[in-house]
Amino acid sequence: MERKRITLAERKGVLTKLFFSTLYLSAFTFGGGYVIVTLLKRKFVDEYHWIEEDEMLDLVAIAQSAPGAIAVNGAIVVGYKLAGLLGVVTAITATIIPPFVIISLISACYAAFRDNLIISLMLEGMQAGVGAVIASVVYEMAYVFYHGRDTASMILMAAAFVAGCVFGVNVVIVVLAAGAIGVVRTLAARRKEAVK
């Protein structure tokens, strides 16, 4: 993964922005790792213009394919892209602080939270919001494929959806199969260029 060359002063500014951005996103992202994807895109692609949109899709694919929480994996790949290993450490630290603090507080007061009607209703409402955010992520990622006119990627995306949602194929198998197809397509394209 290629990184941009930046000066020491720029790197310090990037690390500071990276820390507070990922801290903010992690603190206010409810509903799991998929929700953070659209927020990462809005912050780092749309607002800061640090990453290109198609590059963000690649980073999300890496984060999704690696074991572990997608929020942390996303922070790792974005942090590395922006500032190398120091960016990784900065992004991971900022990403894990809010959940660590919140879960620690909730676990200390679990009995009170579990039986509280207002908290229960609030969590049910959040589930609906999370569903909408995940649908937004799917739409934005599919939009890039559609406007990129990459027919093979669109077919692969549709096949992966059908395999997972209609036929109940395990997500690990879908991801590994899509990765293998991607490798074959890349090798075939390189061979074709070499022949020319």
Side-chain angles (χ1 to χ4, degrees):
M1 186 184 318
E2 191 179 335
R3 288 186 287 117
K4 295 175 182 175
R5 301 283 181 198
I6 56 176
T7 65
L8 191 59
E10 287 175 326
R11 189 179 218 195
K12 187 176 178 184
V14 166
L15 287 172
T16 303
K17 274 187 173 180
L18 178 65
F19 179 83
F20 286 109
S21 296
T22 43
L23 184 74
Y24 169 80
L25 292 175
S26 182
F28 295 103
T29 300
F30 296 93
Y34 293 104
V35 178
I36 204 169
V37 170
T38 189
L39 300 176
L40 285 170
K41 181 206 172 278
R42 285 185 186 144
K43 183 64 77 176
F44 298 122
V45 176
D46 300 337
E47 187 179 330
Y48 291 153
H49 305 289
W50 284 345
I51 300 172
E52 298 296 323
E53 191 162 357
D54 58 340
E55 202 173 20
M56 186 69 195
L57 285 174
D58 292 340
L59 297 178
V60 169
I62 292 167
Q64 177 61 36
S65 302
I70 191 171
V72 176
N73 292 346
I76 289 170
V77 294
V78 169
Y80 182 79
K81 165 75 178 142
L82 296 174
L85 290 178
L86 199 53
V88 169
V89 172
T90 302
I92 288 175
T93 304
T95 302
I96 63 173
I97 288 173
F100 178 77
V101 171
I102 292 167
I103 295 298
S104 297
L105 291 173
I106 289 174
S107 65
C109 312
Y110 177 70
F113 277 119
R114 184 185 56 191
D115 299 329
N116 188 310
L117 178 64
I118 293 172
I119 300 278
S120 175
L121 292 173
M122 184 178 75
L123 291 173
E124 282 184 28
M126 288 170 122
Q127 289 174 0
V130 166
V133 171
I134 291 173
S136 171
V137 171
V138 171
Y139 171 77
E140 287 180 10
M141 293 176 82
Y143 181 84
V144 172
F145 280 128
Y146 176 74
H147 285 281
R149 301 285 189 236
D150 186 355
T151 308
S153 293
M154 289 172 60
I155 292 169
L156 182 59
M157 180 177 64
F161 176 80
V162 169
C165 293
V166 176
F167 295 111
V169 177
N170 189 311
V171 175
V172 174
I173 295 170
V174 172
V175 169
L176 291 175
I181 292 168
V183 168
V184 169
R185 284 183 60 203
T186 303
L187 292 175
R190 284 185 182 169
R191 181 177 286 178
K192 202 174 190 181
E193 285 179 12
V195 169
K196 289 179 182 179

